[in-house]
Amino acid sequence: MLPISEAIATAFRAYQAGNWFEAEWICQEIVQQQSGNVPALLLLGAIAQQTSRLESAVTYYKTILQLQPNHFEAHSNLAVALQNWGDWQGAENHFKRALELNPTHSPTLFN
């Protein structure tokens, strides 16, 4: 396996290219080595969300928030996942927290 920083960069490039299977595989390998690797968990959450596996996405984002309670992207992405899942109260709570952390983020303001 590549060094973790290179593996994350490779996974992100694969994600951007729409090769979610490769990106997910790389991130899962990273998380097996470092269970608390936030960039890998964030990308896994995004992939799960993109592929309509909302329960998995929610789990990944909540794991990040256990590690880093003030992680803006995790709150924002979790809010969208919860909104799509129909958990309006949970979504509202995480949108509010995301806005506390980044009050000028226009996509979060819109949501």
Side-chain angles (χ1 to χ4, degrees):
M1 173 113 187
L2 296 169
I4 298 295
S5 61
E6 288 181 43
I8 287 289
T10 301
F12 188 70
R13 284 192 300 274
Y15 174 79
Q16 287 181 313
N19 191 347
W20 296 336
F21 178 79
E22 179 184 356
E24 185 171 33
W25 182 83
I26 293 168
C27 288
Q28 287 173 343
E29 290 291 314
I30 292 168
V31 170
Q32 283 182 0
Q33 291 180 31
Q34 292 182 348
S35 61
N37 187 292
V38 171
L41 291 167
L42 190 63
L43 197 49
L44 284 168
I47 293 165
Q49 203 162 347
Q50 291 284 338
T51 56
S52 300
R53 293 177 286 143
L54 296 176
E55 187 172 354
S56 292
V58 166
T59 300
Y60 287 125
Y61 298 138
K62 285 184 176 182
T63 300
I64 293 167
L65 293 173
Q66 288 174 348
L67 298 166
Q68 296 180 10
N70 293 325
H71 195 284
F72 164 75
E73 286 181 275
H75 278 290
S76 182
N77 291 355
L78 176 56
V80 172
L82 291 171
Q83 184 179 37
N84 291 335
W85 206 7
D87 180 353
W88 304 108
Q89 186 61 53
E92 180 183 4
N93 293 339
H94 287 283
F95 278 131
K96 285 180 179 178
R97 183 63 185 130
L99 285 173
E100 289 172 2
L101 295 168
N102 189 351
T104 61
H105 188 253
S106 54
T108 304
L109 285 166
F110 176 77
N111 282 314

